[in-house]
Structure formats: C-alpha cells, structure tokens
Amino acid sequence: MSSRSSATDSIQIEQLQEADLAEADHIFRLAFGTFLGLPDPLAFGQGADYIRTRWHADPSAFFAARIESKLVGTNFASNWGSVGFFGPLTIHPDYWDRGVGQRLVAAVIDLFSEWNIKQAGLYTFAQSQKHVALYQKFGFWPRFLTAIMSLPVNAEASARGLQTFSELGAEQRAEALESCRSLTNEVYPGLDVSREIQSIANQNLGDTILLRDSASLAGIAVCHCDAGSEAGPNVCYVKFGAVRPGADAAENFEHLLAACETLAARRGLSQVLAGVNTARVEAYRQMINRGFKAAMQGVAMHAPNEPGYSKPGVFALDDWR
C-alpha cells in the first residue's frame, strides 16, 4: 500500500463538535490566508465569522476531518430547499494534497442525496486549476463567473416599501416565511432560504428585508450585518436576495438594492456587499449602473451542469461562498 493510500485511509470524517469551533476557525483563516499569500495568513477575514455562525445554523451539516484525532479540515453544507451548496471547505496547509478535501466533499455529496437536492453548487477560485479539478471529480462543472460587488453606503439612503423580519411578531413571521418560500419557488422550483432567514434572526446576525408592493411580497434580501456575522466590520452582506419574476422585476430589483443600502445606512454601516452570478446579466448590469464595483470574483460550479436560476431574466443575489 502506498503512503498516499495509507494517509487517505487514516482520515476520519465526523460531525464538527462545538468544542472544535475555535480550532476550525483557526484552520479556516490559516488555509485561505496561506492560499492567497497574505503576509499574516491568520489576518484573513478578520471580524467576519463563517464557522461559528454556520455551525449554530445546523451542526449536523458541518463536517470535520481528523487524522489521528487531530482536526485537519472542515466543510459545511447549506440547504436551500431544492438547492444545496457547500463551503467553506478548508484544510490545514500541513495536510494539503493528502486526500482530505475529497473525503470532505464526498460527505457533503451524501448529505445532498439525503436532502434530495436538485441543483448543487459551490463557489471557488476561478484561477485555480487544482480546485476546479477536485470538484469536477464529483460532477461539478464551472459555469459563469460570480462577482462579489461592493457599494459605498450613502448615509442618507432611503427606500420605499421597506419592512424587516425583525419588526414582525411571531405570527407575522410565520406568514412572512411562507411568502418568502412562495417568492423563491417562482425564482427556481423548490428554492427555499427560510433556514437562512431564521438563522440570522436567531443569532442576531443582521436582518431580512421584505420589500412589498401593492400586490404582495415583491422581493427579499437576507442580510448579515457588521462584525461577528459573515459580513465583517462595517459591512452589510446580502447573502441572498431576489425579486418576484415578471414585468416589474427590474424595477423591483432597483428598489431592493436601494433597500439594502437603506438597511446599511440605518445600522451605520459603510459598505454593501453582494454577489451576483454574471449569467444573470440584467441584474449584473443593473448593479454596475447603480455604482457597485467588483471586489473579487470566482466561478460557480454546478452539479448537474445546468443553469439552475443563474440565467438571463433572473434578478437574484448570492455567491455560494
């Protein structure tokens, strides 16, 4: 048996435990900071929290890789109804190229099967042949770029029709979640981000914008805000946003972008950050016209190799990081 096979066989995959969150966070920053060549790798993503927040959202979907009882990597699966994605997949640099990543991806693929996911995906570095090749082994194929877009906040920003999830009572929240499911189902059959909405509310990580018109719910934006969330200091990060498809979609999308800036202004934040797949060409152009600029970009990989809801005519925000 080769030394590589022996190393692979020694990898144990299990659910990440709460006692391991600090070490998992350390590995996350070290891995990404090392890959990106930062002078201090541990400075990566300072003030933002991707590990604790996602673990508290669903501990059963957070996987740990161990070698001889030592935590060496983690991966998290997100359940958006018929849509599933994973990440951050992070491995301690001392254990790169030892098969850990493949085992962590395989664990997520099994979970996607249990969840009956119809469209699986991920976001990765477009320039990294190594990352793309790894995910292709599991049936993921690169499609369009996803741009992470940034907008400086106008402190005087205001938007009409803006209501937030945090303003609602228990009964109203249940009704709002049902309305959100109805809207996202129109964007893509079975798409459901209610877990994200509830996780943000339960952990006090930000808020969800509910944009209404005279008829019904016209749009939603699920936002992390400030340090301790996925946004980081002084940032309003739109983890998911969408408007109801139809003749008014472009106009409603403009109102939704304005509402995100308004939420940021109300909270004293200086930046709105939102991802958009460039296959949603109208939404991408609209963001550019509003003043958003690309802060970074990666590639969305899909399994199966189908558009999902990343196609022209869809006004939606996300980045699957």
Side-chain angles (χ1 to χ4, degrees):
M1 182 180 295
S2 70
S3 59
R4 179 173 294 274
S5 297
S6 298
T8 302
D9 291 344
S10 69
I11 300 167
Q12 301 297 318
I13 304 296
E14 59 188 37
Q15 289 182 2
L16 184 70
Q17 302 302 308
E18 187 169 13
D20 293 314
L21 290 178
E23 180 62 18
D25 185 81
H26 174 86
I27 292 171
F28 160 71
R29 300 184 196 282
L30 179 64
F32 276 103
T34 299
F35 177 81
L36 294 172
L38 299 184
D40 176 10
L42 292 176
F44 175 80
Q46 284 298 317
D49 193 329
Y50 279 77
I51 302 301
R52 291 174 179 82
T53 56
R54 296 192 182 189
W55 186 88
H56 283 293
D58 186 357
S60 68
F62 218 131
F63 294 95
R66 298 185 186 277
I67 295 179
E68 297 179 352
S69 299
K70 177 180 175 63
L71 182 68
V72 298
T74 61
N75 196 11
F76 179 73
S78 292
N79 185 340
W80 286 5
S82 60
V83 175
F85 62 97
F86 66 82
L89 169 61
T90 56
I91 301 160
H92 194 291
D94 291 347
Y95 294 87
W96 287 355
D97 301 318
R98 292 177 60 174
V100 178
Q102 293 190 51
R103 293 289 299 277
L104 285 168
V105 174
V108 163
I109 298 301
D110 289 343
L111 187 58
F112 283 169
S113 180
E114 292 179 23
W115 288 347
N116 197 28
I117 295 298
K118 303 301 182 185
Q119 181 68 71
L122 62 100
Y123 171 103
T124 193
F125 300 103
Q127 76 277 18
S128 175
Q129 299 93 328
K130 176 181 175 180
H131 286 85
V132 171
L134 167 63
Y135 303 131
Q136 282 179 337
K137 292 179 181 179
F138 292 89
F140 291 89
W141 291 90
R143 296 188 63 87
F144 279 76
L145 293 176
T146 294
I148 313 301
M149 309 286 282
S150 174
L151 178 75
V153 172
N154 179 352
E156 304 300 321
S158 62
R160 66 171 176 81
L162 170 58
Q163 184 183 53
T164 59
F165 191 74
S166 64
E167 297 171 358
L168 306 179
E171 186 174 338
Q172 290 176 305
R173 287 188 177 192
E175 294 173 354
L177 288 172
E178 186 56 39
S179 295
C180 290
R181 281 189 284 267
S182 178
L183 186 150
T184 53
N185 185 66
E186 291 188 55
V187 174
Y188 182 78
L191 176 63
D192 178 3
V193 296
S194 58
R195 291 178 180 84
E196 295 287 350
I197 296 171
Q198 291 173 304
S199 177
I200 286 174
N202 292 341
Q203 298 184 64
N204 194 28
L205 300 174
D207 214 336
T208 295
I209 293 168
L210 306 170
L211 189 69
R212 301 188 184 277
D213 59 18
S214 58
S216 61
L217 187 67
I220 65 171
V222 185
C223 302
H224 285 244
C225 296
D226 214 351
S229 73
E230 293 182 22
N234 298 315
V235 175
C236 173
Y237 167 53
V238 186
K239 186 161 185 179
F240 177 86
V243 298
R244 186 179 59 235
D248 296 331
E251 181 181 357
N252 285 332
F253 189 65
E254 186 66 23
H255 292 320
L256 188 68
L257 295 176
C260 293
E261 186 176 5
T262 299
L263 178 65
R266 288 179 180 178
R267 288 175 170 254
L269 306 176
S270 61
Q271 181 184 30
V272 175
L273 198 66
V276 61
N277 189 275
T278 56
R280 306 170 199 151
V281 60
E282 298 92 346
Y284 178 48
R285 286 175 177 167
Q286 202 162 328
M287 293 179 74
I288 292 173
N289 291 339
R290 188 172 177 83
F292 281 86
K293 297 184 183 301
M296 60 180 287
Q297 60 187 23
V299 63
M301 300 187 69
H302 291 195
N305 188 17
E306 298 174 353
Y309 58 95
S310 289
K311 57 187 178 182
V314 174
F315 291 83
L317 303 169
D318 64 9
D319 60 50
W320 290 354
R321 281 185 294 166

